[in-house]
């Protein structure tokens, strides 16, 4: 979602937080921040789902992915 303009050549920071953790999925929230002003210029939420490669059906998140949630 667009919130404020950014200048070409300006420095940005992207903050990433896991906001929901389920059995087969997690939701990540992103914020694009202008480093010079501290103003949030854009934000997004993305749902990631673990799927079986052959069937395409949801499967439980691997334990390594569940452990990463605590460090994001």
């Amino acid at each position: 979602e667009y919130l404020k303009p950014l200048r070409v050549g300006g420095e940005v920071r992207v903050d990433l937080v896991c906001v929901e953790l389920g059995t087969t999925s997690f939701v990540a929230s992103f914020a694009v921040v202008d480093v010079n002003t501290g103003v949030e210029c854009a934000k997004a939420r993305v749902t990631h789902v673990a799927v079986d490669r052959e069937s395409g059906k949801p499967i439980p998140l691997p334990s390594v992915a569940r452990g990463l949630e605590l460090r994001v």
Side-chain angles (χ1 to χ4, degrees):
E1 175 182 348
Y2 169 84
L3 301 172
K4 302 272 184 187
L6 289 166
R7 296 186 185 266
V8 174
E11 188 176 352
V12 300
R13 180 184 76 237
V14 178
D15 296 332
L16 166 63
V17 178
C18 179
V19 294
E20 293 178 36
L21 181 62
T23 304
T24 61
S25 65
F26 66 94
V27 178
S29 176
F30 300 86
V32 179
V33 178
D34 183 320
V35 171
N36 295 318
T37 65
V39 173
E40 185 178 75
C41 298
K43 62 183 178 179
R45 286 173 58 107
V46 179
T47 301
H48 299 269
V49 180
V51 296
D52 180 83
R53 289 183 184 190
E54 291 185 20
S55 70
K57 294 183 179 184
I59 58 173
L61 288 171
S63 59
V64 68
R66 294 186 68 77
L68 290 175
E69 180 270 337
L70 299 175
R71 292 182 223 130
V72 172

